[in-house]
Each structure stands twice: as C-alpha cells, then as structure tokens.
Amino acid sequence: MADMDNKEQAEMDPADMEDVEEVEEEETGEDVNSKARQLTVQMMQNPQILAALQERLDGLNGSPSGYIESLPKVVKRRINALKNLQVKCAHIEAKFYEEVHELERKYAALYQPLFDKRSEIVKAAYEPTDEECEWKADEEEELTVSKQEEMKEKAKLEEEKKDEEKEDPKGIPEFWLTVFKNVDLLSDMLQEHDEPILKHLQDIKVKFSDPGQPMSFTLEFHFESNDFFSNTVLTKTYKMRSEPDESDPFSFDGPEIMSCTGCTIEWTKGKNVTLKTIKKKQKHKGRGTVRTVTKTVPNDSFFNFFTPPEVPENGELDEDSEAILAADFEIGHFIRERIVPRAVLYFTGEAIEDDDDDYDEEGEEADDEEGEEEADEENDPDYVPKKDAPPAECKQQ
C-alpha cells in the first residue's frame, strides 16, 4: 500500500502537489488555533485561574495613576489642606443629619394620630363614616355614569346577600400578615407556623429616641391577646450613629445603624415556634443497646427577628453573625421607612408596583445584557459566560 501511495504521488501533477501542500499547511494552522482556543477555554473554566485573574484585575481597578505621587511637595501640602476641609464638611454633614432626625421626631408626632386611626380601623375599634370611605378615582379610572350605577347596584346586592348570610368580618382581617406576605424582604422570613401568630398582629409603631438622647428608633409590634405568648408588645431597638469615624472620616455617608436589641418573648408552653424538638437514636458502644434522645434545636421563624446576634464591644463579628445583622439592619430600616408609613399600599400591592417601577430601567439594561450574552454564546462556540459578581460586603463597626 505504501508503494502504491508513493506511485500515485509521483504521477500527480506538480501544480496539484502545490495545492495539496497549501491545504495541508492551512489545516495545520487551523489545528493549532483550535487547540489554542480549547486550551484558553479550559484555563478560563479553572476556578483557581479565574480567581487569580480576578485578584489581579481587582488590584488594577481604582489603582492610582501615579500622578499624585509625582506632584511637587508644595502641591501635596495644599492637597492635605483640602482633605482637612473635607473632614470638616463631614462633621457639618453629621450635624445636618442630626437635625434631620429631630425633624423626623417632630413629624412622627404629627403622623401618629393618623396611624392610630388606621390601627383602630384595622382592628375594628372604629368604623369609618361613609364620607371617610368615599374614594375619588383618578381621571383615568373614572367610569361612565351608567357603569357607576351598575356597580353601585351590584355592590348593594352583594351587601344584602352578606347581611342575609350574617357575615360580619371585623375590621380588616389579616391586614399586617398580608403586608408581610406581599413584600419579598419580609415574606422570605415567614414560615408557615408563623402565620397563625401574625394574624394577631394589630399594629406596628415607630418610636424615636428622646431629644438629647443617643440617636435610635424602636419598632413596636402590637398584638392582641393570643394563645402563643403573653406579650402584648414585642420591641426591636436600633441604635444609630451620625458622626464620622475618626479612623476613616471620608467614609461617612449619613447615619448608620450600629447595633440592635430585641426583647424576650414569653412563649406559652409548647408554642415557641423558634425552637423545635427532634429525636435522635444513639447506640451504646459497649452493650450495643439503642436509646432515643430528645433534643431541642433552633427553628426557622420570623420571630427570630427579636433575638439578633449581640455585637461585641470590640465590634468584631464572625461572618455568619455579620451577614445576619446586615440583613437585620436592612429589614429594620425598610419597616421604618416604607412599611409603617405606607402600610395600606403594601396591603393592596400598589406600593409594590411603585417599587418595581423604580427598577424598570435597570431591569431593561440587565435584560439587554443577558440577550447579548445569549447571542454571543450562540454565535461563538468558544464563548465563556461571565461569572456573577459577588454580593457587596456590609461592614460592621
């Protein structure tokens, strides 16, 4: 066979031989490029290599250009003067936020009668008048006169039917539980065994620290009498600070929550949903006998919200505690800033739609990027998908 191959090659036209040689060279070049691409893909899929590259890139991001170091000493002195001015600005900003806190305290007293009336309606302590229940629709929502009459007649018939059935719901049933279930940040904390308890939640109030006292606010959860615990009010207090950190004054960006304290829940025996009982079998090493041991362990529950990790005096926390507190601070701030002032809108879902609107533009950009990424993946067989960015770290001080 080898002799025949050699004979065929000898009989081929020299021009044909040139074409063959060129093709072979091109194929060889493609093989090299293909192997190089495959090697690159394999390297980029290696977590250690990616981590090293990311570390190198992180070191490049925000690195000084060397311009400041190259400046004359007299210019550097003036830059130090600007930094000192910036520190003074930070201290003035801290005073600004302290006065904002005073304004919040002042206006909280004006809001409170309205919130108290809201609570009375929710728990059926007050029945609003027809005038108070009249809601004027937006221009876009206005209906024709005939449609309005039709709806009024329908509502009248439904009311009469309810009267016949003797249905008499008190206030607004499950008001706060519905609010919690409608908000992702809070619903993620809820467990099925929490819901029967939260049906007894009648109000959430925000109380600010007294004038002259360290900045703080307290969330008060008011419950009607129930079979789960004897407390009528569960509290969570957040201590805040509005002053620049001496070691890093340029990081100041308004008041920050420094720590929080919960309260002791006086659970009825057998009703503590933050604990669960498990049974484990243990085998004796010598005798081989087996015994069943009952053990009480922590259980997932919204009511763990009232027993946050304690912040040590030195401020150092392990990673788990730091993550729990970071989430806790976010939840406490959200309840104070959004949930309490706009509870009815979270109950109806209107505030959730408004919150979603705030992210429309960013969401569209993300969708576009995702679309581009999918297109790249389809068109390029060697495309390597981007890794998800790590979550931002939350510093505790």
Side-chain angles (χ1 to χ4, degrees):
M1 288 293 295
D3 293 336
M4 290 180 66
D5 290 342
N6 293 333
K7 184 177 180 181
E8 288 175 358
Q9 289 181 2
E11 293 176 355
M12 289 180 65
D13 187 273
D16 292 338
M17 287 293 292
E18 290 178 4
D19 291 341
V20 170
E21 290 174 359
E22 288 177 3
V23 171
E24 287 180 350
E25 287 177 2
E26 289 174 0
E27 289 178 351
T28 303
E30 288 179 359
D31 289 342
V32 171
N33 291 336
S34 178
K35 289 179 180 179
R37 284 198 296 268
Q38 290 175 5
L39 181 61
T40 302
V41 170
Q42 291 173 1
M43 290 175 62
M44 294 305 290
Q45 289 176 343
N46 186 316
Q48 294 179 340
I49 294 176
L50 281 174
L53 285 172
Q54 186 63 48
E55 185 178 354
R56 183 67 182 270
L57 290 172
D58 290 342
L60 294 174
N61 288 340
S63 59
S65 63
Y67 171 70
I68 301 299
E69 288 75 8
S70 68
L71 292 173
K73 185 176 180 180
V74 65
V75 176
K76 291 180 180 178
R77 288 181 66 257
R78 294 166 191 151
I79 292 174
N80 289 338
L82 295 186
K83 286 185 176 181
N84 287 326
L85 291 176
Q86 191 63 43
V87 171
K88 291 180 180 179
C89 286
H91 283 282
I92 292 174
E93 187 179 6
K95 294 296 182 184
F96 165 78
Y97 283 114
E98 287 179 7
E99 293 195 23
V100 168
H101 188 70
E102 294 297 325
L103 275 176
E104 285 183 316
R105 183 187 292 112
K106 173 185 174 182
Y107 278 89
L110 301 178
Y111 287 128
Q112 197 54 52
L114 302 177
F115 295 156
D116 289 341
K117 196 164 190 177
R118 176 181 70 188
S119 176
E120 291 176 354
I121 294 173
V122 167
K123 62 187 182 184
Y126 172 77
E127 184 62 34
T129 64
D130 291 342
E131 183 180 354
E132 289 174 319
C133 293
E134 185 69 26
W135 176 253
K136 295 180 179 179
D138 295 336
E139 291 182 6
E140 295 179 1
E141 299 174 356
E142 287 182 357
L143 304 172
T144 62
V145 176
S146 59
K147 189 69 174 176
Q148 288 178 357
E149 293 297 329
E150 181 184 338
M151 292 186 67
K152 285 181 180 179
E153 185 65 26
K154 185 177 179 181
K156 184 179 179 181
L157 291 173
E158 289 178 357
E159 296 240 348
E160 290 175 354
K161 184 179 179 181
K162 286 183 180 180
D163 290 339
E164 291 174 3
E165 296 174 355
K166 295 184 179 179
E167 292 184 1
D168 186 21
K170 300 296 183 183
I172 303 179
E174 302 181 13
F175 178 82
W176 288 101
L177 173 59
T178 303
V179 170
F180 276 48
K181 292 170 77 172
N182 281 348
V183 178
D184 290 343
L185 189 64
L186 301 178
S187 65
D188 289 344
M189 303 168 63
L190 292 185
Q191 306 298 321
E192 188 175 348
H193 48 252
D194 294 325
E195 295 188 16
I197 308 176
L198 287 171
K199 288 180 181 180
H200 297 283
L201 179 59
Q202 294 182 314
D203 197 15
I204 303 177
K205 296 182 179 181
V206 180
K207 296 295 179 68
F208 291 92
S209 53
D210 294 329
Q213 295 298 314
M215 189 182 294
S216 69
F217 68 91
T218 299
L219 300 177
E220 295 182 350
F221 294 73
H222 292 253
F223 287 83
E224 64 182 351
S225 179
N226 61 79
D227 298 331
F228 298 93
F229 46 72
S230 59
N231 311 63
T232 56
V233 182
L234 301 181
T235 61
K236 185 75 171 284
T237 299
Y238 291 87
K239 295 181 180 179
M240 305 171 68
R241 182 180 72 177
S242 182
E243 59 184 33
D245 185 347
E246 291 184 3
S247 63
D248 186 16
F250 303 132
S251 66
F252 181 74
D253 191 27
E256 55 183 339
I257 296 174
M258 302 305 298
S259 64
C260 58
T261 54
C263 66
T264 301
I265 302 178
E266 304 294 340
W267 293 101
T268 303
K269 187 176 180 180
K271 298 288 188 178
N272 188 347
V273 295
T274 65
L275 298 174
K276 64 180 177 181
T277 302
I278 60 173
K279 293 182 179 180
K280 297 183 69 175
K281 290 184 178 180
Q282 295 180 342
K283 187 175 182 180
H284 194 279
K285 293 180 179 179
R287 296 191 296 268
T289 56
V290 178
R291 67 174 182 176
T292 301
V293 178
T294 301
K295 190 176 181 182
T296 301
V297 296
N299 191 28
D300 290 337
S301 169
F302 164 76
F303 291 91
N304 290 323
F305 179 69
F306 297 97
T307 54
E310 294 184 5
V311 179
E313 291 184 3
N314 60 10
E316 295 181 3
L317 294 165
D318 58 59
E319 289 185 6
D320 290 342
S321 297
E322 185 173 341
I324 292 171
L325 276 180
D328 191 301
F329 293 171
E330 181 182 1
I331 292 163
H333 182 75
F334 190 81
I335 291 174
R336 167 196 159 186
E337 290 289 326
R338 306 297 293 271
I339 298 296
V340 172
R342 310 178 71 200
V344 66
L345 301 181
Y346 283 100
F347 176 81
T348 62
E350 293 166 84
I352 300 167
E353 294 174 2
D354 291 343
D355 290 346
D356 291 342
D357 290 342
D358 293 341
Y359 293 93
D360 275 352
E361 185 176 347
E362 183 177 347
E364 289 170 1
E365 291 177 359
D367 290 343
D368 291 342
E369 290 176 3
E370 185 177 350
E372 292 173 3
E373 187 171 315
E374 290 176 354
D376 289 340
E377 187 174 1
E378 292 174 359
N379 298 330
D380 186 355
D382 301 316
Y383 173 76
V384 180
K386 294 183 290 185
K387 301 292 182 183
D388 291 337
E393 296 182 359
C394 182
K395 296 181 179 179
Q396 306 293 332
Q397 299 185 12

